[in-house]
Amino acid sequence: MLVTLIILFVTGGQVLAYVLGYVLAQKAHGWRWMVGLGAVPAIIQFGLLLMLPETPRWLVQAGKEDIARFVLMKVYPSETGTTGERVLRDIKREILEQEATSKIINPSPSGNDPWSSLTQFQHRMTELLYVGGNRRALIIACMLQGLQQLSGFNSIMYFSATIFSLLGFTSPILTSLWVAMTNFVCTLVALIITDRVGRRAILLRSMPVMIFGLVLCSVSYYFLGVPTENTDVLPGTQTAVYSPWATFIVVSLVIFVCGYAIGVGNIAWQQSELFPLSVRSLGSGLATATNWGSNFVVGLTFLPMMELLTPVWTFALYALVCLAGWICAWRIYPETKGLELEDMKGLLRDGWGVKGSLARPTNGRP
């Protein structure tokens, strides 16, 4: 829920950015305010980071158990203390198990090696790649993060105003606001239902919605008519004449964004729960790098694909990517509903854990 709440603030910020962008676009030199105001959230976040404590798991691993206990008491202020102590015991047990695993994989201590930081990184990378459960967690996390971007979502967010301008809408920024609002509202829905329904269940049900939206968009572009040698498709060119099929394109993109925001848009960022503590930061970092690398590819290729492949085949290709992602998620992504972080280690130990996770009772946990 906390991860989805973070994404809710991100999508809310996107809505606010569209509104401010529309208002400032009406003013002379408004772009200067658009760029400058972007520093305000960063300044606020920097101030809040100064008050943010380290995570209890890291504190215990660093030998600061008393500080970890203090942090847990702040997280559970209304409890009698038993919940915090239980979580602390689970963390200590997990760390002892991970240290035992690390000694088996890397029995040679670094000692006073001046390259100890590099050696420790190599050990962590070895543990991530050569322990079956860790490797499977990395594959799932990278798959979800790559799918999140290669589905084409950010190409729509980046170039929605350009798309709607070419479709003949007189106020493309306001039209883009519908897409951003859909993203925000559906992320709010995800916040409510994710822990109740389960991540795997939501992902497998939301991705067909994404595929339907992309296919509808492709079909709408087909009947709208693809650009010819007399029609430009790049930013800054002449705006097209409005057609009723343009409304179908907007509706299809709203449907796609709805499925995205409820499913892979937030579930992919819950990647850290898949990794044990010893490789959690490294595994999450590699998965996040996959996200931004895929984001770079999509942002770089979207406009050339629209020109070379036409919009019909561009959105059809995104639909095929989503279909491939659905198949992969169905095969290898287990259900994590009802599991705590300390319980995740055994889920992927002997396989992908899909059948076992579906057969496991939730014991009344949300």
Side-chain angles (χ1 to χ4, degrees), residues 28-62:
H29 308 296
W31 67 270
R32 291 189 173 92
W33 284 97
M34 294 183 195
V35 175
L37 288 173
V40 175
I43 294 172
I44 295 174
Q45 186 177 28
F46 177 77
L48 293 175
L49 283 174
L50 298 178
M51 299 181 289
L52 187 67
E54 296 288 353
T55 64
R57 289 173 177 82
W58 183 88
L59 289 169
V60 172
Q61 193 174 34

Side-chain angles (χ1 to χ4, degrees), residues 60-267:
V60 172
Q61 193 174 34
K64 302 178 180 180
E65 184 176 327
D66 292 338
I67 302 178
R69 180 178 288 105
F70 175 75
V71 173
L72 287 170
M73 293 303 106
K74 293 180 66 176
V75 173
Y76 304 100
S78 61
E79 303 287 346
T80 59
T82 56
T83 302
E85 289 294 337
R86 177 178 61 81
V87 173
L88 184 61
R89 287 195 302 270
D90 290 341
I91 291 172
K92 292 166 65 177
R93 172 177 53 82
E94 182 191 16
I95 290 175
L96 289 175
E97 292 175 355
Q98 292 303 320
E99 287 178 348
T101 302
S102 298
K103 288 179 180 178
I104 294 174
I105 300 173
N106 303 294
S108 300
S110 57
N112 296 322
D113 182 5
W115 299 94
S116 58
S117 297
L118 179 58
T119 303
Q120 186 179 30
F121 172 79
Q122 292 174 334
H123 289 173
R124 290 285 183 262
M125 183 63 76
T126 300
E127 185 177 352
L128 178 63
L129 297 179
Y130 288 94
V131 175
N134 298 345
R135 183 175 61 253
R136 284 184 279 271
L138 181 64
I139 292 172
I140 293 173
C142 290
M143 182 267 293
L144 291 177
Q145 291 286 16
L147 174 63
Q148 186 192 82
Q149 296 301 319
L150 296 177
S151 66
F153 171 77
N154 270 342
S155 65
I156 296 172
M157 296 302 291
Y158 293 155
F159 302 110
S160 58
T162 299
I163 295 171
F164 297 143
S165 176
L166 295 171
L167 291 175
F169 289 95
T170 56
S171 182
I173 296 180
L174 278 183
T175 309
S176 301
L177 183 60
W178 283 100
V179 177
M181 281 295 299
T182 301
N183 193 22
F184 175 75
V185 172
C186 291
T187 302
L188 181 61
V189 173
L191 177 68
I192 298 171
I193 70 173
T194 296
D195 286 336
R196 297 180 181 180
V197 178
R199 291 147 180 73
R200 173 185 166 88
I202 288 180
L203 189 65
L204 295 182
R205 294 171 186 174
S206 62
M207 289 189 65
V209 177
M210 296 170 60
I211 296 171
F212 173 76
L214 290 169
V215 170
L216 179 60
C217 184
S218 178
V219 172
S220 300
Y221 263 113
Y222 175 80
F223 286 104
L224 176 68
V226 297
T228 65
E229 65 273 8
N230 298 320
T231 308
D232 294 321
V233 296
L234 296 178
T237 58
Q238 185 177 0
T239 301
V241 178
Y242 174 78
S243 165
W245 282 105
T247 302
F248 280 93
I249 293 176
V250 175
V251 171
S252 67
L253 293 180
V254 167
I255 293 173
F256 165 74
V257 171
C258 180
Y260 172 91
I262 292 176
V264 71
N266 80 86
I267 289 175

Side-chain angles (χ1 to χ4, degrees), residues 1-3 55-58 72 76 86-87 89-95 97-98 134 195 199 269-278 280 284 336-349 360 365:
M1 178 176 288
L2 290 178
V3 173
T55 64
R57 289 173 177 82
W58 183 88
L72 287 170
Y76 304 100
R86 177 178 61 81
V87 173
R89 287 195 302 270
D90 290 341
I91 291 172
K92 292 166 65 177
R93 172 177 53 82
E94 182 191 16
I95 290 175
E97 292 175 355
Q98 292 303 320
N134 298 345
D195 286 336
R199 291 147 180 73
W269 288 111
Q270 301 180 33
Q271 60 196 9
S272 61
E273 68 182 14
L274 297 170
F275 298 100
L277 180 61
S278 60
R280 187 166 295 158
S284 297
T336 59
K337 177 184 176 183
L339 288 180
E340 296 184 358
L341 289 176
E342 287 73 29
D343 302 325
M344 295 293 294
K345 179 184 176 183
L347 185 62
L348 299 171
R349 178 185 295 141
R360 184 191 68 250
R365 289 177 181 173

